[in-house]
Amino acid sequence: MTTRQVIAIGLGVLWGLITRLSLLRVDYRAYPSYPHAYSTHLAFGFIASLMGSVAPVALAEGKFEAVSFLLLTATQFQEIRRMERDKLADLETIELVPRGANYIEGIAEVFEARNYLVMLVAALTSAAFWLGGPWGGVIAGVVLALGAHVLRRDTTIGDVAKVRLGEVRLEGPGVYVEDIFIMNVALPQLRDGISKWAIGVVLEAREDQFINVLHNVGQRQAIVHDVIHVLGNRQDVDTAAFQPMVRKDAESGRIAVYLLPMEQDSERVLQVVSQVPVLSNAKSGAGQGL
Amino acid sequence: MKNQEKKWISACVTVHRQKVRGGIPIFYADDDQEMKSIASLLADVVNGVPHDLGNGVYIVVQH
């Protein structure tokens, strides 16, 4: 093994790991938030960047079997997707407000995709060093790591819909957000709680092609899960009437979100709803522009 | 999607004896106040939500 090979692989691994680490920021969804999850994903990131950076060096030496090793690694990354999916699906059974299958699949998909991204950054960095010298390697690493950040940005609900507050009204036993019926609650004490704590949000698609995104049931579940996850929930295991709900108005296609967050701050509710990612499987059939 | 929300009526509380019959637990109350308190207790016990049918009949539904 020559020094040139060592530097090419080392540079690739370094930039691959930096990319993985920067993509592993704990965000408001607080996932993954545990040290063990960190170590698992960093270990996989290390393997991905090692495989990625070895490939161009091996290919340059005429060792074409490197390609089959890349394929082998790709199957391992599908395992990451399964691991994340199984873990989150297991947790669903004890969630008062579940994430929903679409959200889980979306999260699992992102974890898999990020490893491919890391592998690509490592491979291109090491190839750039091999062809363009030390500076080529460093510049390629910086540009690619920044590029990975651009790719990381999700489209959010705020991009596809106008998000505004809607008045929660009680008419007899009926609970409405503006004119959209949410549910029927009979008891006065529950209705008192609702009139005191409930916050309504109305979503209107910015363009017709985005209506499908808002109407996707998985997407709607993801919205309530995220808001409740950030702002807390008044609902307990025995107060199903306080369960957050999302209903649509069949006539106008508007979506009404009804929830009773612990933190009674309607501005923050709007902020969180706007920042909920648009799930990739809710986009299907939504047309161009996402 | 279709069966995502499984719901069933676990009990029925009414002040009108002639309005409710059938295979679910039925509780008869003498007045509105008693109907509300029975519905509230039942809802707490079975973790359901009481709904008002508007004709003097409350149903407790499992969501």
Side-chain angles (χ1 to χ4, degrees):
Chain A
M1 206 167 164
T2 65
T3 324
R4 194 166 170 232
Q5 285 171 336
V6 173
I7 297 176
I9 294 169
L11 211 57
V13 169
L14 182 72
W15 278 106
L17 264 183
I18 289 174
T19 310
R20 187 69 192 101
L21 199 63
S22 65
L23 292 177
L24 204 62
R25 187 174 66 101
V26 174
D27 62 6
Y28 70 97
R29 274 157 287 172
Y31 185 83
S33 54
Y34 303 104
H36 289 105
Y38 266 121
S39 48
T40 312
H41 289 294
L42 282 181
F44 271 116
F46 176 73
I47 295 167
S49 40
L50 191 61
M51 291 307 294
S53 53
V54 166
V57 178
L59 288 176
E61 300 285 311
K63 296 188 173 112
F64 296 108
E65 57 270 38
V67 178
S68 50
F69 280 102
L70 282 182
L71 284 174
L72 198 69
T73 323
T75 32
Q76 290 304 311
F77 294 152
Q78 286 169 4
E79 198 58 39
I80 296 184
R81 183 182 189 152
R82 191 171 312 137
M83 181 182 86
E84 289 304 329
R85 187 200 294 131
D86 289 353
K87 189 164 111 188
L88 291 174
D90 283 349
L91 293 175
E92 285 284 87
T93 49
I94 52 155
E95 294 266 12
L96 278 177
V97 186
R99 283 187 172 81
N102 297 37
Y103 201 2
I104 290 183
E105 198 53 47
I107 293 172
E109 200 176 65
V110 167
F111 273 108
E112 186 188 0
R114 284 184 181 173
N115 279 292
Y116 294 129
L117 214 57
V118 165
M119 203 151 94
L120 195 70
V121 169
L124 292 180
T125 309
S126 116
F129 171 81
W130 200 256
L131 300 172
W135 283 111
V138 171
I139 291 168
V142 174
V143 171
L144 289 165
L146 290 176
H149 261 274
V150 175
L151 281 179
R152 169 176 165 267
R153 196 191 167 272
D154 285 326
T155 316
T156 61
I157 290 293
D159 296 332
V160 301
K162 285 178 216 147
V163 183
R164 61 179 167 82
L165 285 176
E167 189 200 354
V168 179
R169 292 186 302 118
L170 293 159
E171 249 179 45
V175 180
Y176 297 80
V177 171
E178 290 187 346
D179 56 338
I180 305 170
F181 179 74
I182 302 292
M183 64 169 162
N184 173 309
V185 177
L187 298 177
Q189 62 265 41
L190 291 176
R191 283 210 294 271
D192 286 349
I194 289 169
S195 64
K196 211 161 40 171
W197 298 316
I199 291 180
V201 177
V202 175
L203 306 178
E204 272 173 279
R206 286 188 192 276
E207 289 170 41
D208 285 351
Q209 61 187 358
F210 300 141
I211 287 180
N212 278 349
V213 174
L214 297 181
H215 289 190
N216 183 291
V217 179
Q219 180 67 60
R220 280 145 66 172
Q221 187 61 36
I223 293 173
V224 281
H225 173 85
D226 267 6
V227 180
I228 290 304
H229 196 76
V230 177
L231 299 175
N233 192 2
R234 302 261 176 197
Q235 182 200 1
D236 194 6
V237 285
D238 61 349
T239 47
F242 292 166
Q243 191 174 24
M245 279 189 209
V246 189
R247 292 286 180 261
K248 89 174 167 195
D249 180 31
E251 198 182 328
S252 63
R254 283 173 304 151
I255 293 292
V257 183
Y258 155 89
L259 33 91
L260 293 90
M262 277 313 277
E263 205 173 317
Q264 206 70 19
D265 185 344
S266 37
E267 281 308 308
R268 286 205 67 197
V269 172
L270 288 184
Q271 207 183 342
V272 178
V273 171
S274 306
Q275 282 174 8
V276 174
V278 171
L279 304 180
S280 56
N281 35 26
K283 285 181 206 166
S284 51
Q288 301 293 308
L290 281 168
Chain B
M1 162 63 218
K2 195 139 188 252
N3 284 326
Q4 198 187 37
E5 293 179 10
K6 270 192 185 164
K7 302 182 178 191
W8 69 92
I9 301 174
S10 50
C12 188
V13 191
T14 182
V15 286
H16 304 300
R17 284 177 180 263
Q18 72 282 7
K19 277 199 173 153
V20 187
R21 263 187 217 122
I24 58 165
I26 303 163
F27 298 82
Y28 297 113
D30 291 333
D31 51 38
D32 255 27
Q33 199 51 46
E34 193 188 351
M35 181 165 70
K36 279 178 186 156
S37 83
I38 296 177
S40 169
L41 271 173
L42 277 175
D44 284 348
V45 173
V46 301
N47 292 351
V49 183
H51 296 286
D52 184 357
L53 299 190
N55 58 349
V57 180
Y58 278 18
I59 50 173
V60 178
V61 178
Q62 300 280 309
H63 290 276

